[in-house]
Amino acid sequence: MHVIFSLLAVIVLIAIAYAGVAGAGMTYLFGVVIPYAAVITFFLGLILKVLKWGRSAVPFNIPTTCGQQKSLPWIKPNSVDNPTSTGGVLARMFFEVLTMRSLFRNTKLDYRVAHGQPVIRQGSEKFLWLFAILFHYSFLVVLLWHLRFFMEPVPKLVGVIEALDGFFEFGLPQLLLSGVILVAMAGALLDRRLRMPNIRYISLTSDYFPLFLIMGIGITGILMRYLLRVDITAIKELTMSLAVMKPVIPQAPIDPLFYAHIFLVSVLFAYFPFSKLMHMPGVFMSPTRNLTTNSREVRHVNPWNYPVKTHTYDEYEEDFRDLMIEAGLPVEHNPAEEAAAAEGGGEAAEAEPEAPEEKKE
Amino acid sequence: MANPTPKPEQIAAVDHKPPAADWMDTKPEFKPGMFLYAVRKESLEGVGQPNPRDWNPTDADWKLPADWKGIVREGIKERLQRFRSFQIFMDICVRCGACADKCHFFIGSGDPKNMPVLRAELLRSIYRGEFKVAGKILGKLAGGRKLTEEVIKEWFYYYFQCTECRRCSVYCPYGIDTAEITIMAREILNLLGCQIDWVGTPVNNCFHTGNHLGLKPHTYKENVEYLLDDIEEYSGVRINPSFNRKGAELLFITPSGDVFADPGIFTFMGYLMLFDHIGLDYTWSTYASEGGNFGFFTSHEMMKRLNAKMYAEAKRLGVKWILGGECGHMWRVITQYMDTMNGPADFLEVPVSPITGTRFQNSASTKMVHISEFTADLIHNNKLKLDPSRNDHLRVTFHDSCNPARGMGMLEEPRYILNNVCNNFFEMPPQTIRENTFCCGGGAGLNAGENMEMRFRGGLPRMNAVQYVKDRHGVNMLACVCAVDRAVFPAHLEYWVPGVKNCGVTELVANALVMDGEIPRQYNLRGEEVNDLREEVDLPPIQWPEEEEGGEPSEEGGE
Ligand code: SF4
Ligand code: SF4
């Protein structure tokens, strides 16, 4: 159900764009209004969500330590996976975000039973990491590459990226690998979700939908560039006009496929702040990763720490004073020694220790 | 045992394939051995917790408070604002499944809701269904569902089948810590009075008597005295520790389980001998006689209420700083919570070892040092007379307890100690130790007696790694620095890896310790004859000196 629904949703979105543009001629709506609305929703939604997260307190210092602590001077600490300094945290976040270090740790359960005895191993599993890292980096390259549509002159960096990206110079226009990898990796992640029974079991519509959406974006983009050869000049005229906030729909007709492409992109942008895609800003704010681990050395302050009812020593001694005196334990208040001595003999009844193990039987 | 626990072969036949039915359409079966008993009424009343009543998880009616839905909604809302961890972890999981097969309970049970990601979704789906527009309107399509009594039962079942070990958090690309979600869920359940007895009753005991076991002051002291008799019997040295003594330099706090139950008591004896050996000026407290903190397993507030005793007692006694014993969650609380909740402890001094002069800068603010840090420093400075060959009959491996590993990072200190007090030390496979360590299967209040099947399942991955080193290196001793481990492992080992025993690191230290005025150490701290143990592993017997008399138990205790 989750899969079919997501796929259908993307197909319907494409159909809407086609119908709107080719059928009803609503080029302004799909070329200008919706993209603007989507971008505004994206930034506003993102900022509001991050602010909301920021307003939520960090009462305790709860990093997950993944390496040796800094304790005695002759024991080498792991300053990245157990960072006591800000520099260490930055290094940890750097590796987390740019190399997906935690995902690189991934293992695969290998569970067998041999002669009635379980044999459990944690095998190596790097595919998820590989798919994920290729997916994200190719996405980034594609995004940067698209800057050429919104800038004049085209920045040098974009040129360099394109040159690298089009390393395999076949076809005309030059094939850009990033787009192909992006679609392929979205496909690989989808395949994984469908084929691994447990991953399929945990997957929701909101897991399939962005994958189909991104595949839709990638495929429409690739089709435009290599098969339909849409009018690039007209497109750039439109995108530049969007970028400088003076939107005009160019005279020369643009293929509806283009409108489908930017409609899907718009949906992705608008959907982003309300979805799991928020893991992008979220990873920077995760308290198990972005805090220093020196809470024994430097006190972490909880903004809402409130006083609680405790059982004080005085209350405790009040409850047990006689027993304590009898057992020779020092007390704060010893009611007249002689009185205690006189009474002591009579109170010899031993209080039974509560048997804590009783439930185990 | 009350419940017929399945045989190891039966438990081992785990199927990790999920069922056909969607997880939102399945509900847990409360099967004996797989769930925990409800907290007794008096225990909740004793510490003023909501909705005390007599109930049972197998009842149809859980007697929830009238406005229970409102309470849960408010409870979630409040925690989203108070804990960024909770808010973010609710929002950003991508269900990549990297955490899925990392949980010992999933590995040992195959129950898909024991995959950390689904454990979290049990709550996340309510968050979406009750708080998110899309979830409210689209329901299941947006991953949301409605709050029903069935959900509360499911939470109780699965959030009390998570040991808050944080192994899942290590592998998550965003550090999502399902333990943190379990902590929130348990707080919310606690608002409805849905607590387990093995947490609620120790909490009540600890609050009133100072320790989980409910040992009253004189009993605590008596128990220690029995141990002193044993020490004298096996080593010939009579030790006279002090209790509640003002003006001592240090206060020592350790879990109460170790003063009471085998094999923790041998670790406890180890502390007594170690401190005597180095002439430490320290005292025990009967008021702060619990290092552990089961409050942590019910709510942040309860954790704070119980933990407050440590600093309060240190202040009352006027000690300079606190030394803490071997315990797992105790050290997570000390490392990541204590100073924040109950500090600043400005009445204490930055810890300096009175024996070596080492300044423990890493605990400059909490003013509390771990016994393994302390001992490693002693050994490094040659302050202990050690004869590691006394442990030659042991082939030792080390279990990293979850909390010292993933909530602190104390990995090398205990290994350094072990390598100095015994000659045969072997590591378990790298994917099962250090930050990757597998839980004992009984942490976070799950080491009760009624859930043995759950425990054996959860303990399986750890036990399987022990089996691995037993098969390859003949390992016969599993050392650890955790009192819950010591309560849990004996049963788990007997069930999964018979022939391997369990001990605390300090027990092995004390066995190797050459005490002043000792008699020939023919017996270890367990009262077992060393030559018998050597014979079991084909080592030649030790020739004890002729004029031995240490074997005679001294009849009188400490008069
Ligand atoms: S590893 Fe993290 S993001 Fe992936 S499913 Fe588990 S909790 Fe979610
Ligand atoms: S904290 Fe441990 S027990 Fe809980 S879900 Fe994660 S791995 Fe499982």
Side-chain angles (χ1 to χ4, degrees):
Chain A
M1 175 193 94
H2 298 305
V3 194
I4 306 289
F5 181 85
S6 307
L7 179 60
L8 279 180
V10 174
I11 293 172
V12 167
L13 288 174
I14 296 176
I16 291 177
Y18 261 92
V21 175
M26 296 189 284
T27 47
Y28 197 79
L29 177 68
F30 284 89
V32 177
V33 178
I34 292 178
Y36 272 142
V39 170
I40 292 169
T41 312
F42 173 78
F43 282 109
L44 234 107
L46 188 107
I47 291 168
L48 288 179
K49 185 66 135 297
V50 169
L51 285 178
K52 182 179 172 195
W53 287 348
R55 273 200 306 277
S56 179
V58 183
F60 300 107
N61 186 73
I62 53 161
T64 313
T65 58
C66 298
Q68 171 62 35
Q69 65 169 351
K70 186 172 162 210
S71 59
L72 296 160
W74 44 273
I75 297 179
K76 194 175 169 299
N78 183 336
S79 52
V80 174
D81 289 321
N82 195 334
T84 45
S85 67
T86 312
V89 170
L90 288 177
R92 189 180 205 191
M93 293 309 292
F94 175 88
F95 287 119
E96 198 61 87
V97 174
L98 295 183
T99 72
M100 306 193 179
R101 185 183 176 82
S102 293
L103 208 52
F104 193 71
R105 292 194 182 100
N106 196 17
T107 57
K108 189 174 186 313
L109 171 66
D110 175 4
Y111 189 103
R112 284 173 228 180
V113 179
H115 314 292
Q117 282 261 15
V119 180
I120 305 174
R121 301 283 179 269
Q122 279 71 40
S124 160
E125 152 62 37
K126 297 280 182 260
F127 281 111
L128 177 57
W129 174 82
L130 188 73
F131 296 162
I133 204 148
L134 283 176
F135 176 81
H136 285 87
Y137 274 103
S138 58
F139 206 137
L140 180 68
V141 170
V142 168
L143 270 180
L144 289 175
W145 177 94
H146 273 76
L147 284 179
R148 74 155 36 256
F149 290 106
F150 299 93
M151 286 182 168
E152 196 55 54
V154 174
K156 274 227 182 62
L157 179 74
V158 175
V160 174
I161 291 171
E162 269 180 357
L164 289 174
D165 203 356
F167 185 70
F168 299 101
E169 294 199 22
F170 51 76
L172 207 87
Q174 204 179 45
L175 176 75
L176 295 186
L177 272 183
S178 53
V180 178
I181 298 178
L182 177 62
V183 175
M185 287 306 113
L189 289 170
L190 177 67
D191 176 65
R192 183 179 166 275
R193 234 178 236 294
L194 290 174
R195 273 205 306 193
M196 296 171 74
N198 284 313
I199 309 302
R200 185 173 182 147
Y201 196 67
I202 60 175
S203 295
L204 301 172
T205 312
S206 57
D207 298 314
Y208 294 108
F209 178 65
L211 281 175
F212 283 118
L213 193 59
I214 289 166
M215 285 167 91
I217 292 170
I219 292 169
T220 49
I222 289 173
L223 284 178
M224 264 196 289
R225 186 171 162 95
Y226 304 108
L227 280 177
L228 295 178
R229 304 289 180 82
V230 292
D231 185 346
I232 291 279
T233 335
I235 289 178
K236 180 134 185 189
E237 203 185 321
L238 169 60
T239 52
M240 277 309 297
S241 78
L242 289 176
V244 298
M245 304 278 181
K246 291 194 187 99
V248 273
I249 298 295
Q251 294 300 312
I254 306 177
D255 194 285
L257 184 63
F258 164 76
Y259 289 99
H261 183 71
I262 57 165
F263 184 53
L264 292 185
V265 174
S266 301
V267 171
L268 182 68
F269 268 67
Y271 175 70
F272 194 102
F274 310 100
S275 71
K276 69 169 195 174
L277 304 177
M278 284 300 284
H279 67 267
M280 190 259 270
V283 62
F284 293 96
M285 296 178 75
S286 176
T288 57
R289 291 290 187 272
N290 74 359
L291 293 170
T292 49
T293 57
N294 62 348
S295 46
R296 288 167 73 196
E297 187 174 356
V298 180
R299 182 166 182 255
H300 179 93
V301 177
N302 174 358
W304 51 259
N305 198 14
Y306 55 88
V308 295
K309 159 114 190 56
T310 62
H311 194 65
T312 63
Y313 175 81
D314 290 335
E315 289 169 288
Y316 169 85
E317 190 182 299
E318 204 55 49
D319 289 347
F320 298 118
R321 182 170 293 118
D322 294 345
L323 291 167
M324 290 173 77
I325 293 170
E326 197 187 321
L329 291 165
V331 285
E332 295 277 342
H333 304 288
N334 199 337
E337 289 279 350
E338 63 279 14
E343 260 180 61
E347 299 258 328
E350 290 280 290
E352 282 297 315
E354 285 170 33
E357 298 264 272
E358 67 193 328
K359 292 177 33 159
K360 302 222 167 184
E361 291 314 312
Chain B
M1 219 147 289
N3 315 309
T5 305
K7 301 252 166 313
E9 314 82 79
Q10 291 169 302
I11 286 193
V14 184
D15 182 6
H16 292 94
K17 291 255 176 336
D22 190 275
W23 67 263
M24 286 195 195
D25 302 327
T26 60
K27 18 180 198 176
E29 180 199 347
F30 284 83
K31 190 178 116 205
M34 284 299 289
F35 70 94
L36 287 122
Y37 293 157
V39 61
R40 65 193 82 168
K41 205 169 151 196
E42 310 78 64
S43 296
L44 286 187
E45 282 164 351
V47 283
Q49 292 294 291
N51 201 20
R53 68 208 184 281
D54 291 314
W55 66 291
N56 195 318
T58 51
D59 293 346
D61 178 9
W62 279 24
K63 303 182 193 162
L64 300 179
D67 179 32
W68 69 268
K69 277 192 193 179
I71 295 175
V72 171
R73 280 195 208 107
E74 259 318 296
I76 295 178
K77 206 163 121 201
E78 189 184 21
R79 279 157 191 82
L80 289 169
Q81 284 155 6
R82 281 194 174 169
F83 298 90
R84 188 180 299 166
S85 51
F86 187 39
Q87 173 71 65
I88 287 191
F89 296 166
M90 283 297 106
D91 280 332
I92 68 171
C93 172
V94 298
R95 285 163 298 280
C96 68
C99 58
D101 58 0
K102 307 301 181 285
C103 177
H104 50 284
F105 281 116
F106 175 66
I107 297 175
S109 73
D111 184 338
K113 288 181 190 173
N114 276 330
M115 290 191 273
V117 45
L118 262 200
R119 197 188 306 287
E121 287 286 319
L122 300 180
L123 180 46
R124 205 177 275 126
S125 56
I126 300 303
Y127 166 70
R128 284 188 294 249
E130 299 280 342
F131 292 89
K132 294 270 157 183
V133 183
K136 277 193 220 165
I137 300 169
L138 299 175
K140 210 164 161 179
L141 208 49
R145 50 174 190 164
K146 288 280 158 238
L147 193 53
T148 62
E149 276 198 57
E150 290 305 323
V151 169
I152 298 299
K153 292 182 180 177
E154 187 183 45
W155 283 2
F156 181 87
Y157 187 80
Y158 288 105
Y159 289 117
F160 286 105
Q161 198 172 166
C162 164
T163 47
E164 303 179 0
C165 79
R166 311 182 99 199
R167 189 169 194 267
C168 44
S169 164
V170 171
Y171 297 87
C172 174
Y174 321 116
I176 294 176
D177 183 7
T178 304
E180 190 74 2
I181 295 167
T182 295
I183 289 170
M184 299 304 153
R186 288 187 180 190
E187 283 206 15
I188 295 162
L189 285 170
N190 191 48
L191 299 175
L192 308 177
C194 296
Q195 173 66 266
I196 60 168
D197 196 51
W198 198 248
V199 168
T201 295
V203 161
N204 185 38
N205 283 339
C206 190
F207 190 77
H208 292 285
T209 62
N211 55 74
H212 293 153
L213 302 182
L215 302 175
K216 294 183 176 148
H218 61 298
T219 320
Y220 190 86
K221 184 168 178 247
E222 264 165 31
N223 270 337
V224 176
E225 272 156 8
Y226 292 136
L227 301 179
L228 295 171
D229 295 345
D230 283 354
I231 292 173
E232 184 170 13
E233 183 175 338
Y234 305 135
S235 74
V237 179
R238 183 73 207 179
I239 297 171
N240 286 304
S242 64
F243 295 87
N244 304 353
R245 172 167 63 94
K246 288 190 176 182
E249 186 169 356
L250 304 184
L251 167 64
F252 182 68
I253 302 180
T254 203
S256 65
D258 282 347
V259 76
F260 188 84
D262 185 332
I265 48 172
F266 311 122
T267 301
F268 200 100
M269 289 157 74
Y271 299 139
L272 290 161
M273 290 168 70
L274 175 69
F275 299 153
D276 185 72
H277 180 73
I278 57 175
L280 193 69
D281 176 15
Y282 80 109
T283 190
W284 299 85
S285 164
T286 59
Y287 168 64
S289 51
E290 181 58 66
N293 191 328
F294 273 37
F296 184 40
F297 306 143
T298 163
S299 70
H300 287 87
E301 181 176 305
M302 193 49 81
M303 159 168 63
K304 179 174 173 176
R305 291 175 68 184
L306 299 187
N307 174 264
K309 291 199 179 91
M310 290 197 186
Y311 280 152
E313 184 68 339
K315 189 171 186 180
R316 184 183 75 88
L317 297 176
V319 299
K320 286 189 182 152
W321 52 275
I322 312 171
L323 185 60
E326 298 179 8
C327 179
H329 72 279
M330 158 180 170
W331 276 96
R332 170 123 200 256
V333 172
I334 292 168
T335 305
Q336 303 196 323
Y337 297 94
M338 175 163 85
D339 194 16
T340 298
M341 296 183 301
N342 288 318
D346 37 22
F347 45 88
L348 298 175
E349 294 175 13
V350 174
V352 173
S353 168
I355 316 298
T356 66
T358 299
R359 184 183 150 100
F360 291 92
Q361 183 59 31
N362 66 329
S363 47
S365 186
T366 52
K367 317 285 200 306
M368 188 150 179
V369 174
H370 192 289
I371 184 72
S372 288
E373 296 167 340
F374 185 74
T375 308
D377 173 64
L378 290 170
I379 296 176
H380 190 73
N381 286 290
N382 283 318
K383 297 295 181 192
L384 301 186
K385 258 206 239 157
L386 294 167
D387 177 1
S389 73
R390 288 183 184 174
N391 285 320
D392 271 357
H393 55 278
L394 297 176
R395 302 178 72 78
V396 182
T397 192
F398 179 69
H399 161 72
D400 289 276
S401 306
C402 310
N403 289 295
R406 290 184 280 260
M408 187 181 183
M410 194 183 72
L411 310 173
E412 292 301 337
E413 294 86 343
R415 288 177 166 80
Y416 177 80
I417 299 169
L418 286 173
N419 277 309
N420 277 282
V421 301
C422 61
N423 290 320
N424 314 306
F425 175 69
F426 307 92
E427 290 280 17
M428 287 181 275
Q431 293 303 335
T432 71
I433 54 168
R434 298 176 184 263
E435 72 274 14
N436 301 319
T437 190
F438 272 118
C439 182
C440 62
L446 307 192
N447 57 325
E450 66 268 22
N451 61 333
M452 285 317 279
E453 182 179 342
M454 182 208 289
R455 281 177 44 181
F456 288 149
R457 289 184 181 280
L460 173 57
R462 168 41 79 222
M463 290 298 107
N464 210 252
V466 175
Q467 180 80 51
Y468 182 91
V469 280
K470 184 188 180 216
D471 292 346
R472 271 165 196 70
H473 307 294
V475 160
N476 57 10
M477 184 58 87
L478 174 62
C480 64
V481 282
C482 175
V484 170
D485 284 340
R486 288 189 283 271
V488 165
F489 277 146
H492 289 197
L493 286 163
E494 199 184 303
Y495 187 83
W496 288 115
V497 207
V500 180
K501 296 249 162 21
N502 169 234
C503 71
V505 167
T506 307
E507 178 185 344
L508 299 187
V509 172
N511 271 328
L513 212 53
V514 181
M515 305 275 289
D516 286 340
E518 67 177 14
I519 53 170
R521 300 276 287 272
Q522 292 185 42
Y523 296 89
N524 64 13
L525 295 186
R526 301 184 177 202
E528 299 162 333
E529 229 175 305
V530 171
N531 274 342
D532 290 351
L533 298 168
R534 289 174 67 90
E535 201 184 323
E536 280 173 29
V537 291
D538 299 326
L539 287 174
I542 295 170
Q543 295 302 318
W544 302 112
E546 283 304 313
E547 22 32 308
E548 66 180 72
E549 51 186 86
E552 290 301 308
S554 58
E555 290 303 323
E556 291 122 315
E559 185 58 36

